[in-house]
């Protein structure tokens, strides 16, 4: 049992790391808050003084704000739906004995280790190019006119690209959860005559609920900040400009640090609202 002296020593040794982490998080946050109340144009006069809540009003009343929020939530929702559903199916499939099982698992997980910019470029040039892309050749093979994916179906294209990146993560977490399932339960249900769908619905899916919750929470945190895939493929055009991309445009393209900082604060608020909502809806599974 830890004594008071050992606990004090542990706190003393942890203090530098805690202080460093707090500084790493708090300093950028404080600077963002400070700049959000100022008119700061680096290439057009520099610091022009305090403007109060003017940046917040300008950002939220901009015609691009609500479409950006809608695009962000649409991408997050679409990717979560695809990765959770296909992740469950792939996890069940990979849990079955098969020839070359180890190699197959490595191939399924591999896309998660590809850089977002690289995977976006691969999808843009190899699959979605309307002239020489793989999808274009498939469309022509079946006698249809090729689709310009990134302009005619831009939002579904982004969802497809990001889902391909995050599907291995969901599959890995769900496969680990399935492997911890007691096989005797499934065998007993099978012996009692329960069909596969009922075994899945009453045994496998409830067992996966905590893993699904973890997948949703972790992916949502990262998907709210999606940027590289949009920058490489559409450049924020055709309705794919997310809140993160809008902030980028305000800071780097418009050189308005104050306005972009106000957008950053809105992004933090949105992330917290979504996180609280998810924790209340599905977070109870973590305590089950």
């Amino acid at each position: 049992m830890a004594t008071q002296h050992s606990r004090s020593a542990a706190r003393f040794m942890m203090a530098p790391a805690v202080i460093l982490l707090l500084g790493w998080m708090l300093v950028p946050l404080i600077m963002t808050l400070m700049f959000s109340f100022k008119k700061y144009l680096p290439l057009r006069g520099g610091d022009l003084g305090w403007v109060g809540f003017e940046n917040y009003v300008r950002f939220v009343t901009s015609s691009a704000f609500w479409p950006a929020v809608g695009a962000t939530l649409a991408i997050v929702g679409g990717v979560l739906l695809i990765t959770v559903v296909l992740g469950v199916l792939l996890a069940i499939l990979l849990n079955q004995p098969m020839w070359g099982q180890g190699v197959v698992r490595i191939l399924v997980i591999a896309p998660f280790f590809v850089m977002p910019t690289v995977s976006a470029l691969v999808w843009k040039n190899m699959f979605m190019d309307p002239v020489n892309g793989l999808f274009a050749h498939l469309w022509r093979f079946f006698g249809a006119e090729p689709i310009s994916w990134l302009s005619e179906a831009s939002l579904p294209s982004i969802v497809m690209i990001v889902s391909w990146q995050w599907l291995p993560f969901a599959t890995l977490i769900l496969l680990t959860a399935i492997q911890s399932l007691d096989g005797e339960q499934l065998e007993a249900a099978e012996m009692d005559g329960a069909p596969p769908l009922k075994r899945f619905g009453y045994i496998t899916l409830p067992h996966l609920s905590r893993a699904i919750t973890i997948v949703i929470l972790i992916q949502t945190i990262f998907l709210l900040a999606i940027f590289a895939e949009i920058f490489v493929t559409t450049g924020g055009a055709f309705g794919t400009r997310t809140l993160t991309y809008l902030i980028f445009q305000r800071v780097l393209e418009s050189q308005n640090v104050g306005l972009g900082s106000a957008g950053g604060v809105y992004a933090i608020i949105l992330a917290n609202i979504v996180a609280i909502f998810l924790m209340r809806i599905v977070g109870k599974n973590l305590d089950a």
Side-chain angles (χ1 to χ4, degrees):
M1 185 174 181
T3 63
Q4 181 64 33
H5 177 72
S6 63
R7 285 196 294 266
S8 300
R11 294 192 188 101
F12 178 77
M13 288 186 288
M14 290 175 60
V18 173
I19 293 172
L20 180 62
L21 287 174
L22 285 175
W24 189 268
M25 294 184 295
L26 291 178
V27 170
L29 179 60
I30 292 172
M31 291 183 66
T32 300
L33 286 171
M34 182 181 69
F35 281 121
S36 68
F37 292 104
K38 302 177 73 173
K39 187 174 184 180
Y40 187 67
L41 310 174
L43 301 181
R44 293 180 290 165
D47 191 349
L48 301 180
W50 297 88
V51 294
F53 288 94
E54 180 183 330
N55 289 324
Y56 289 93
V57 175
R58 284 185 58 192
F59 197 90
V60 78
T61 55
S62 168
S63 59
F65 176 74
W66 290 110
V69 173
T72 302
L73 296 178
I75 291 174
V76 171
V79 173
L80 288 177
L81 179 63
I82 292 174
T83 53
V84 169
V85 173
L86 292 184
V88 170
L89 296 177
L90 276 175
I92 295 174
L93 178 63
L94 293 176
N95 193 46
Q96 306 301 317
M98 66 178 72
W99 183 84
Q101 188 178 57
V103 176
V104 173
R105 289 180 178 178
I106 292 174
L107 292 176
V108 170
I109 297 171
F112 186 65
F113 300 100
V114 180
M115 294 177 61
T117 49
V118 175
S119 63
L121 284 171
V122 169
W123 276 87
K124 178 182 179 180
N125 298 316
M126 186 178 295
F127 292 101
M128 296 180 174
D129 187 277
V131 178
N132 297 315
L134 178 62
F135 292 160
H137 288 297
L138 287 176
W139 256 240
R140 293 192 190 97
F141 178 79
F142 289 105
E145 186 68 23
I147 298 174
S148 182
W149 288 87
L150 295 174
S151 58
E152 297 178 21
S154 52
L155 208 57
S157 299
I158 297 295
V159 170
M160 191 186 308
I161 294 171
V162 180
S163 297
W164 180 79
Q165 291 177 264
W166 280 97
L167 181 58
F169 171 79
T171 303
L172 183 62
I173 299 297
L174 295 169
L175 177 60
T176 304
I178 283 182
Q179 289 178 336
S180 66
L181 178 61
D182 186 5
E184 293 182 358
Q185 286 183 295
L186 293 174
E187 291 176 5
E190 186 176 2
M191 291 178 64
D192 290 339
L197 285 178
K198 285 195 174 181
R199 295 201 299 270
F200 172 77
Y202 288 99
I203 299 177
T204 306
L205 194 58
H207 180 78
L208 291 177
S209 60
R210 294 185 67 183
I212 292 173
T213 300
I214 293 172
V215 168
I216 291 174
L217 291 177
I218 294 177
Q219 286 192 174
T220 301
I221 293 171
F222 287 95
L223 291 174
L224 285 171
I226 181 176
F227 174 80
E229 296 86 347
I230 298 172
F231 180 80
V232 170
T233 53
T234 64
F238 310 111
T240 60
R241 181 165 52 183
T242 60
L243 189 57
T244 305
Y245 202 90
L246 181 61
I247 295 169
F248 159 77
Q249 288 183 323
R250 294 294 182 265
V251 175
L252 293 182
E253 293 185 4
S254 302
Q255 290 295 318
N256 195 331
V257 176
L259 194 61
S261 297
V265 175
Y266 279 125
I268 294 172
I269 294 172
L270 175 64
N272 280 276
I273 290 173
V274 173
I276 292 171
F277 174 77
L278 288 175
M279 287 299 295
R280 289 190 175 185
I281 297 299
V282 297
K284 59 184 179 181
N285 291 324
L286 296 175
D287 299 324

